[in-house]
């Protein structure tokens, strides 16, 4: 298998995907629109490698070699010879459309175009390209170096070959894949966590139980590593509000209608760990 990967977006997800891929021997082009974003991304990768080295989980030479396989650039043309392109930008369909239209003109005919979206139907993203059969969902989980799962999503026109190549890539960087055969908004994982977070937020909003007790119930009653409200704070209440709203718009299923409390929290800037306040104080 050829080993040239392009990652579009050097945020937390994009830099994480670049990190695990370079460590697994892929040559990686990491592209973002500003030098500042690229510096932030590559500094994060460097720090993560150093942490693995200090814990004895990665040899210093291997970390250095992996860093050497990552090229950071603001030039989108650098994707031209990539075998696989993974888009990891903000969850807004218009932005993804703009990127996929451009990628469609730049990449090789046999390249696989993957999106790391967690909630937007792949068919909608693929529709702006001339090669919808070569577009697939490859939803990695944060933090990418630690989380084992990759959710592969078949769009309405995704070919078996494209799905197989995406699976081969994800497994080559150490991930276990699940396949989503029907392109429903939110796929499997985002639908499950959204339904749980929405219900947990409603229970909290109506005073049924405290945030702590709702989370303890899920941890001790269901064996979850982290409760839904703590998960919302970690992921970002704004991100989950966006995801649940997307799924609700697509499905019109009431269980995904985000409660008013989540909207007000986002309006007030209480979006979780990154702002210091969400369902918990951080």
């Amino acid at each position: 298998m050829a080993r040239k990967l392009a990652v579009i977006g050097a945020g937390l997800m994009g830099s994480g995907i670049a990190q695990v891929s370079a460590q697994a021997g892929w040559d990686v082009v990491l592209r973002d629109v500003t030098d500042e974003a690229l510096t932030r991304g590559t500094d994060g990768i460097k720090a993560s490698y150093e942490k693995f080295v200090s814990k004895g989980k990665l040899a210093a030479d291997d970390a250095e070699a992996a860093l050497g396989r990552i090229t950071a650039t603001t030039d989108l043309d650098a994707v031209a010879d990539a075998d696989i392109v993974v888009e990891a930008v903000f969850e807004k369909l218009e932005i993804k459309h703009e990127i996929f239209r451009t990628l469609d003109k730049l990449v090789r005919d046999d390249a696989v175009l993957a999106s790391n979206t967690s909630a937007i139907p792949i068919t909608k993203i693929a529709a702006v390209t001339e090669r919808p059969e070569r577009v697939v969902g490859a939803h990695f989980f944060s933090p990418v170096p630690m989380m084992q799962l990759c959710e592969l999503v078949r769009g309405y026109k995704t070919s078996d070959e494209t799905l197989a190549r995406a699976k081969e890539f994800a497994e080559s960087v150490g991930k276990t894949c699940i396949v989503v055969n029907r392109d429903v908004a939110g796929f499997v994982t985002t639908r499950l966590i959204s339904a749980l977070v929405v219900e947990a937020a409603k229970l909290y909003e109506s005073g049924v139980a405290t945030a702590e007790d709702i989370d303890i119930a899920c941890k001790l009653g269901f064996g979850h590593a982290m409760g839904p409200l703590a998960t919302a704070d970690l992921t970002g209440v704004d991100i989950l509000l966006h995801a649940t709203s997307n799924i609700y718009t697509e499905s019109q299923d009431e269980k995904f209608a985000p409660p008013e409390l989540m909207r007000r929290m986002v309006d007030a800037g209480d979006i979780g760990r990154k702002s210091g306040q969400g369902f918990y104080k951080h």
Side-chain angles (χ1 to χ4, degrees), residues 172-229:
S172 80
V173 303
K175 303 306 170 196
T176 299
C177 299
I178 66 162
V179 176
V180 181
N181 284 310
R182 269 189 57 227
D183 189 18
V184 294
F187 319 137
V188 170
T189 54
T190 305
R191 282 176 92 93
L192 289 171
I193 192 60
S194 294
L196 193 56
V197 167
V198 164
E199 189 55 40
K202 284 178 181 169
L203 290 169
Y204 173 63
E205 179 180 51
S206 56
V208 171
T210 63
E212 290 87 345
D213 281 357
I214 292 165
D215 280 352
I216 287 168
C218 288
K219 285 164 73 176
L220 301 186
F222 308 140
H224 292 182
M226 184 185 276
L229 300 177

Side-chain angles (χ1 to χ4, degrees), residues 221-252:
F222 308 140
H224 292 182
M226 184 185 276
L229 300 177
T231 301
D233 276 8
L234 177 66
T235 305
V237 180
D238 53 335
I239 305 281
L240 273 169
L241 176 67
H242 195 72
T244 54
S245 301
N246 263 346
I247 298 169
Y248 177 62
T249 303
E250 276 281 319
S251 66
Q252 293 299 300

Side-chain angles (χ1 to χ4, degrees), residues 137-202:
H139 175 212
F140 289 82
F141 289 75
S142 182
V144 181
M146 307 303 291
M147 297 291 274
Q148 269 222 282
L149 185 65
C150 181
E151 192 174 29
L152 297 176
V153 186
R154 190 192 279 278
Y156 191 65
K157 293 193 169 176
T158 305
S159 71
D160 290 345
E161 189 215 343
T162 298
L163 192 71
R165 283 180 59 197
K167 186 169 190 269
E168 202 176 346
F169 158 64
E171 287 176 348
S172 80
V173 303
K175 303 306 170 196
T176 299
C177 299
I178 66 162
V179 176
V180 181
N181 284 310
R182 269 189 57 227
D183 189 18
V184 294
F187 319 137
V188 170
T189 54
T190 305
R191 282 176 92 93
L192 289 171
I193 192 60
S194 294
L196 193 56
V197 167
V198 164
E199 189 55 40
K202 284 178 181 169

